[in-house]
Amino acid sequence: MTEKRWIAETLFEELGLRTSFAVERVLHETKTAHQHLVLFEHRHFGKVLMLDGATQVTSRDEFIYHEMMTHVPILAHGRAREILIVGGGDCGIAEEVLKHPSITRVTEVEIDASVVEFAKQHFPEFTGPVLSDPRFELVIDDGMNYVAQTARRFDIIIVDSTDPEGPGKVLFSYEFYAACRRCLAPGGVMATQNGVPFFQPEELITSVGHFRRLFADAGCYVAAIPTYVGGHMAMGWAADDRELRHVPAETLAERHAAAGRFPTRYWTPEVHKAAFALPRFIAEHVASADERS
Ligand code: SAM
């Protein structure tokens, strides 16, 4: 009986923590121009994608992150048409965004073409509906270049990036957020992947500090994603309209109904509201960003 291979997530190795997955089958493993990519089958989480030793998406819990990174900013905004996704190579974010019939164009700027190619083969549940939707446009570029140069304006920018190392590092910089601010339309919202505050407090504090210097309303909301180990995942929130984070649950429900009441497995109007009620230790991180900015 051959020994089972275990693949470890090494993101928190410095903290003396490794999360290991028992591998049923390795489906794909390669070194791309930008990062190490491995996809394997796990008996509980299904397909698990890791980039540079960090879990990106699993077929079992992807719905939580993808629904909260998309429906929260879109339904809070209420009139969004043009969406920019930075990163998002697996197309899980785009798949949720395109569930909103009022959205007229979705532009995804991904640095690594091979992640999208690989997703076509291994995540057809995402790429199928996305790549066949005429509203979807894929740009292979560094997100920093794109937001620094584009003449277009977006109602919502969703930064579905890797962690602040390697190609993803620049996506947590002041320069990147300032360039995003430049290409946000008036009343626009930016939502960002911002790590797990229990293990990555600096990531959140630094980003919120940058947001604070650029936007009237800056902070985060949270969700718990089993394979983003460490409890709450923080999603950065940056907007000029302070009211957007306070849209009543009834209005969110009406907007979801107007969007065809597409099925969700995590997002509800009440969960949306509750996500902005931060546990004290995370609220204190956000507050400390003030002092620094
Ligand atoms: N949800 C995942 C997470 O929270 O860790 C992220 C998933 S998605 C696969 C991350 C994508 O960001 C990857 O496809 C990666 O290639 C892309 N990416 C990293 N740095 C980038 C950059 N500078 N510009 C555009 N895309 C980038």
Side-chain angles (χ1 to χ4, degrees), residues 248-284:
E250 302 67 42
T251 309
L252 295 170
E254 283 157 19
R255 289 176 181 173
H256 182 226
R261 218 188 293 284
F262 50 80
T264 60
R265 295 177 56 209
Y266 190 88
W267 182 92
T268 69
E270 295 72 25
V271 164
H272 176 138
K273 300 289 297 166
F276 287 93
L278 303 178
R280 193 177 302 286
F281 83 97
I282 299 179
E284 284 168 358

Side-chain angles (χ1 to χ4, degrees), residues 77-222:
H77 185 288
R79 292 167 289 103
R81 299 288 176 270
E82 297 259 351
I83 311 285
L84 173 64
I85 300 168
V86 177
D90 52 57
C91 292
I93 291 281
E95 194 248 343
E96 291 295 337
V97 170
L98 290 162
K99 289 180 181 172
H100 294 261
S102 58
I103 301 285
T104 53
R105 185 147 73 154
V106 178
T107 303
E108 179 173 301
V109 179
E110 165 57 55
I111 196 169
D112 194 338
S114 49
V115 174
V116 183
E117 280 317 305
F118 144 88
K120 282 183 196 165
Q121 198 186 341
H122 295 286
F123 283 101
E125 63 271 38
F126 300 150
T127 51
V130 167
L131 299 175
S132 58
D133 192 313
R135 297 173 294 166
F136 181 75
E137 170 197 27
L138 177 65
V139 176
I140 299 300
D141 192 0
D142 184 330
M144 181 70 235
N145 293 341
Y146 184 84
V147 292
Q149 289 159 21
T150 185
R152 293 186 47 209
R153 296 294 175 266
F154 301 93
D155 300 306
I156 295 181
I157 297 178
I158 299 172
V159 184
D160 177 28
S161 72
T162 43
D163 290 278
E165 47 199 66
K169 190 171 174 59
V170 68
L171 304 183
F172 293 78
S173 67
Y174 177 80
E175 292 67 29
F176 172 71
Y177 295 135
C180 286
R181 167 123 201 48
R182 183 191 70 85
C183 53
L184 258 187
V189 181
M190 177 169 69
T192 62
Q193 185 278 95
N194 246 116
V196 174
F198 196 81
F199 292 140
Q200 303 163 301
E202 277 315 310
E203 193 176 308
L204 177 63
I205 294 167
T206 309
S207 290
V208 173
H210 295 329
F211 298 167
R212 186 83 55 223
R213 292 164 58 195
L214 294 160
F215 295 88
D217 189 19
C220 73
Y221 57 104
V222 293

Side-chain angles (χ1 to χ4, degrees), residues 217-259:
D217 189 19
C220 73
Y221 57 104
V222 293
I225 297 139
T227 49
Y228 295 163
V229 175
H232 297 88
M233 167 107 189
M235 296 165 199
W237 176 267
D240 278 337
D241 180 347
R242 297 173 190 279
E243 287 318 304
L244 291 185
R245 70 163 70 209
H246 303 295
V247 175
E250 302 67 42
T251 309
L252 295 170
E254 283 157 19
R255 289 176 181 173
H256 182 226

